[in-house]
Amino acid sequence: MSAPLLIIAAGGTGGHMFPAQALAEAMLEKGWRVRLSTDARGARYTAGFPDAVEVTVVGSATFARGGIVQKLAVPFRILAGIAAAKWRMLRDRPAIVVGFGGYPTIPAMTAAWALRIPRMIHEQNGVLGRVNQLFAKRVDQIACGTWPTELPGKIAGTHTGNPVRAAILEHAGSPYIPPGEYPMSLLVMGGSQGARVMSDMVPPAIAALPEHIRRNIRVSHQARPEDIERVTDYYASELISADVQTFFDDVPRRIVDAQLVISRSGASTVADVSVIGRPAIWVPFAAAVRDEQTANARQLVEAGASVLMPEAEFDVQTLTAKLTDLLSDEAGMLQMAIAAAGCGVPDATTRLVDMVESLAEAGKT
């Protein structure tokens, strides 16, 4: 008898692919076969997946990009993808199909719904994405990476948390050194591509800090390529020790070392910071249609672990005042770190695996 098959459907962003990879690795360890259905963008992330994962690349079909001709072709490409997915599932019937969001999940999830195969979705953010919203009433269960997650109507979700990388888990609940009269590390991140607002506001806000705080500051600052030179030069002109890069390949270590994180509140970043347990200032991406980054930070803010600063309020003077308050409050920052760790879900992958196995088992009856 062959091993049960799990089909994972995930769109082409890291936010969808990283938790999908964590589930794939865990299910392979349990003896399952795993097939990933994604698009060309998602295929760029598959290098991190185990070789045992079979990758199926479906045509990208989104109304968000392309000209009028391409948009008119989208429904036909989706229908073709659904037909192909159904044919594959009839040939090799999966025990369960799990969607992580993004347009490439539509064919697999629709085929599973039509064939009455057990199915569930995992939503990383605190608000359902467009595709997960489409399938929310057509799946057996919804796993929520952020809690609480805004769900439509009377639909219930299960809080699993967002799976994090092994490098983050190694530092789960690391001891925190609160700010004091010694070198203090600030980690500034703006998402996968950096964020101009961070480069515009954070350096001058740090420069304006009272001298007894400023002299101890060490900064790790992620910036866009076009901002690297000016941000580096500004820190140097103000005699502030700073490491400015477009990408940090050692983010887990930098989070551990940080007295404070200043960042966009993407779901993966929020999960990483909370599992390690660090105080943070979250600056949600203002242009997000569903304002999901505000929702992502909600639990940490309500727990007293973080401060939320909407972009409209994220100016130099306000940030300087907030940094001064935080970095002068040793006891308060220690409590924030403890509260952050209390919101972390280091066993998120295990919770997700348990849901998958339970649903697949129920589907046999």
Side-chain angles (χ1 to χ4, degrees):
M1 183 176 177
S2 64
L5 172 65
L6 162 66
I7 291 180
I8 294 175
T13 68
H16 297 139
M17 299 298 288
F18 293 147
Q21 178 183 331
L23 177 62
E25 292 169 346
M27 297 305 287
L28 286 172
E29 289 180 4
K30 286 181 164 286
W32 282 59
R33 293 182 295 136
V34 179
R35 180 184 301 151
L36 171 68
S37 179
T38 188
D39 63 353
R41 289 194 309 150
R44 296 179 303 178
Y45 293 90
T46 57
F49 281 69
D51 292 338
V53 175
E54 177 189 343
V55 179
T56 300
V57 179
V58 301
S60 179
T62 170
F63 293 98
R65 293 185 299 276
I68 184 65
V69 174
Q70 290 173 292
K71 286 181 168 66
L72 289 172
V74 166
F76 300 101
R77 298 185 71 174
I78 291 175
L79 287 171
I82 293 170
K86 286 180 69 175
W87 180 75
R88 284 191 292 266
M89 290 182 193
L90 287 170
R91 290 184 61 205
D92 187 6
R93 190 177 180 89
I96 184 171
V97 178
V98 181
F100 284 85
Y103 279 93
T105 67
I106 292 176
M109 296 303 295
T110 303
W113 172 75
L115 296 173
R116 298 296 182 262
I117 294 169
R119 56 209 174 276
M120 61 180 278
I121 56 176
H122 176 277
E123 176 55 56
Q124 187 187 34
N125 293 298
V127 179
L128 290 179
R130 289 188 184 92
V131 174
N132 279 350
Q133 204 163 34
L134 176 66
F135 287 101
K137 296 180 180 179
R138 296 173 176 85
V139 295
D140 300 296
Q141 289 191 25
I142 299 175
C144 300
T146 298
W147 199 255
T149 296
E150 297 175 19
L151 299 171
K154 297 181 179 179
I155 295 175
T158 300
H159 182 211
T160 59
N162 282 311
V164 296
R165 296 162 290 170
I168 293 291
L169 286 176
E170 289 173 6
H171 300 291
S174 291
Y176 174 69
I177 301 174
E181 277 294 325
Y182 38 74
M184 297 181 286
S185 296
L186 302 185
L187 175 59
V188 184
M189 297 189 293
S192 60
Q193 299 300 317
R196 176 154 292 161
V197 69
M198 297 293 183
S199 295
D200 290 344
M201 301 299 170
V202 176
I206 292 173
L209 287 170
E211 181 57 28
H212 72 280
I213 296 176
R214 172 183 148 139
R215 65 173 177 247
N216 290 315
I217 295 294
R218 310 290 184 270
V219 186
S220 295
H221 189 126
Q222 180 201 21
R224 291 174 180 267
E226 61 267 32
D227 294 330
I228 287 286
E229 185 175 356
R230 73 177 176 94
V231 173
T232 301
D233 289 348
Y234 184 88
Y235 280 126
S237 70
E238 293 291 336
L239 303 180
I240 296 169
S241 175
D243 183 3
V244 184
Q245 300 182 33
T246 56
F247 178 79
F248 293 123
D249 57 12
D250 58 348
V251 166
R253 179 186 65 79
R254 290 176 191 263
I255 295 175
V256 170
D257 291 344
Q259 270 67 49
L260 179 66
V261 176
I262 307 171
S263 177
R264 291 294 199 200
S265 45
S268 291
T269 303
V270 170
D272 290 350
V273 171
S274 60
V275 166
I276 292 174
R278 291 297 178 264
I281 294 175
W282 300 116
V283 187
F285 181 45
V289 176
R290 296 173 302 280
D291 198 22
E292 60 268 22
Q293 290 203 357
T294 297
N296 293 344
R298 184 175 298 131
Q299 183 189 22
L300 286 165
V301 173
E302 291 179 351
S306 303
V307 173
L308 187 73
M309 293 188 69
E311 273 194 48
E313 302 171 14
F314 192 66
D315 58 73
V316 173
Q317 186 175 0
T318 304
L319 179 58
T320 297
K322 182 54 65 177
L323 289 173
T324 302
D325 288 345
L326 291 174
L327 297 175
S328 301
D329 187 0
E330 178 179 344
M333 291 283 274
L334 180 58
Q335 286 304 310
M336 287 177 73
I338 293 170
C343 294
V345 187
D347 63 339
T349 301
T350 300
R351 295 187 186 191
L352 193 56
V353 167
D354 289 345
M355 281 186 70
V356 170
E357 290 189 318
S358 296
L359 185 54
E361 188 64 33
K364 294 179 182 179
T365 59

